[in-house]
Amino acid sequence: ESEANVRELFDKARGAAPCVLFFDELDSIARARGSSGGDAGGAGDRVINQILTEMDGMGAKKSVFIIGATNRPDIIDPAVLRPGRLDQLIYIPLPDEASRSNILKAALRKSPLAPEVDLEFLAKTTHGFSGADLTEICQRAAKMAIRESIEKEIELEKERAAAGEGAMETEPDDPVPEITKTHFEEAMKFARRSVSDNDIRKYEMFSQTLQQSRGFGNDFKFPEGGVGGGTATPGAFAAAQPAAAAEDDDDLYN
């Protein structure tokens, strides 16, 4: 049913145009053909073949855009990256300081935060951290605040029980109403980077190598003087001569 599901997906996209098809973890379905041995008779190769066919069929429908994301671009089938398919490759690096600050603010937008917590300083000191790493720090700090609140409530319950029934009539306030800098300092002891410097260099080298292999270089220039101008370079004139001779001998379109 895999190929049928792919056809159904692209049919829905055509029917809902204009729309965007986003494939997360593209390497799971667009792995290089022939590299997945023993997968139920080459089912993976048939799926990628069907995806390639559907991508080619999108040429008549310009209002359907296909986007794929992966952290393993080295195992993507080269046919997927050819012009007319996923031909625009964009390397998205780790977040910079401003982006890290926005990620921290977004992760803590529904959490009671103490005014003493300096998110800008935290963003400055977490160079090389991804969005998931920063979210883990925020979640760990929130859990520590919840744990401290529960422990203090248990202590208050014991004190009220020892004081007698009369002391239990008033509703106590939240002992830990906010996430303080102490919680973040404790959470930073367990902070870790999920992407190493070696991984970053590998991605950057792959991006540069792919751009260089696709680029025409800096050697391409139009001849001076326009079409048929008299100041064209000898190399360009020599390269154009066989084509002109071929047109005189036999033109298949006339």
Side-chain angles (χ1 to χ4, degrees):
E1 295 292 328
S2 299
E3 297 91 326
N5 292 335
V6 171
R7 287 194 298 269
E8 181 181 359
L9 174 65
F10 279 86
D11 288 341
K12 287 182 179 179
R14 295 186 187 94
C19 73
V20 176
L21 276 179
F22 181 78
F23 293 96
D24 196 10
E25 302 296 345
L26 184 64
D27 53 279
S28 61
I29 58 173
R31 187 183 296 266
R33 286 168 290 185
S35 62
S36 55
D39 61 341
D45 292 352
R46 293 197 300 271
V47 170
I48 185 60
N49 289 336
Q50 185 64 40
I51 291 176
L52 294 175
T53 303
E54 296 292 342
M55 283 183 178
D56 291 337
M58 286 294 181
K61 202 76 172 179
K62 296 294 184 180
S63 53
V64 176
F65 301 91
I66 305 173
I67 304 174
T70 179
N71 56 0
R72 291 296 309 276
D74 52 318
I75 63 174
I76 299 294
D77 194 290
V80 181
L81 307 179
R82 287 176 184 166
R85 293 168 181 166
L86 300 182
D87 47 4
Q88 298 294 328
L89 301 182
I90 304 173
Y91 170 60
I92 302 177
L94 290 174
D96 55 8
E97 182 178 339
S99 300
R100 292 194 297 272
S101 177
N102 290 331
I103 291 172
L104 291 171
K105 293 176 182 177
L108 296 167
R109 65 185 183 276
K110 295 183 179 179
S111 302
L113 199 64
E116 61 185 8
V117 178
D118 189 358
L119 294 182
E120 301 297 334
F121 178 77
L122 183 60
K124 184 181 297 184
T125 55
T126 50
H127 175 73
F129 280 63
S130 66
D133 302 335
L134 297 173
T135 303
E136 182 189 16
I137 295 173
C138 299
Q139 291 177 349
R140 189 178 293 274
K143 290 176 183 177
M144 288 180 176
I146 294 172
R147 186 179 294 113
E148 182 182 353
S149 177
I150 293 174
E151 291 174 354
K152 289 188 176 182
E153 285 181 357
I154 293 175
E155 293 178 359
L156 291 175
E157 287 290 339
K158 292 180 180 179
E159 293 176 359
R160 286 196 296 267
E165 295 294 333
M168 300 179 63
E169 294 178 357
T170 60
E171 185 70 23
D173 296 331
D174 190 351
V176 186
E178 296 174 325
I179 305 175
T180 64
K181 65 178 183 180
T182 305
H183 301 135
F184 277 97
E185 291 171 355
E186 189 68 22
M188 284 298 292
K189 297 179 181 179
F190 303 92
R192 57 188 177 88
R193 291 176 54 188
S194 58
V195 183
S196 64
D197 292 333
N198 292 332
D199 294 334
I200 295 174
R201 284 194 293 267
K202 181 181 67 175
Y203 292 134
E204 291 177 348
M205 290 178 60
F206 180 84
S207 176
Q208 295 174 1
T209 304
L210 195 60
Q211 290 178 358
Q212 292 173 358
S213 63
R214 286 188 164 193
F216 198 85
N218 297 325
D219 298 331
F220 175 78
K221 289 184 179 180
F222 283 105
E224 297 180 3
V227 179
T231 60
T233 58
F237 179 71
Q241 276 184 333
E247 290 178 358
D248 293 338
D249 292 340
D250 187 12
D251 189 354
L252 297 178
Y253 296 97
N254 290 331

